[in-house]
Amino acid sequence: PELYEPTCSFDVFAADMWACGIILFLLLTGMPPWDASTGPSAHDMRYVYVRDGRLRELLQTWNITMSEHAPDLLQRLLDANP
């Protein structure tokens, strides 16, 4: 998330973990955690679900099943303030 606000400093390790979350989200769901053409936006419900910590609810809406711990891992990796 810090990459979208380049005026402030950020933790490189945290940014790497966030990037891992995006890649894992893509691998497990087949789509990015937000609209790739616009980037993260308050108008994109995928992003809103992830941002608000409601990833399990989003996955249930999409009828995506995965291991018990995968949604928690994804949610933690995609936390803007780890």
Side-chain angles (χ1 to χ4, degrees):
E2 292 83 2
L3 299 177
Y4 292 103
E5 298 175 20
T7 57
C8 60
S9 64
F10 62 92
D11 179 357
V12 175
F13 179 73
D16 286 346
M17 298 311 298
W18 188 67
C20 286
I22 294 168
I23 293 167
L24 187 59
F25 192 98
L26 281 161
L27 291 171
L28 294 176
T29 66
M31 62 188 71
W34 54 75
D35 185 347
S37 65
T38 61
S41 163
H43 302 291
D44 185 344
M45 289 312 295
R46 282 182 286 181
Y47 174 69
V48 171
Y49 274 94
V50 172
R51 180 198 66 198
D52 294 348
R54 298 168 47 202
L55 183 59
R56 283 188 183 274
E57 188 178 339
L58 177 63
L59 295 173
Q60 287 174 348
T61 300
W62 289 345
N63 293 320
I64 294 177
T65 57
M66 52 183 68
S67 74
E68 176 185 348
H69 302 290
D72 292 329
L73 175 62
L74 273 173
Q75 189 67 69
R76 290 174 188 220
L77 289 172
L78 293 171
D79 185 355
N81 296 306

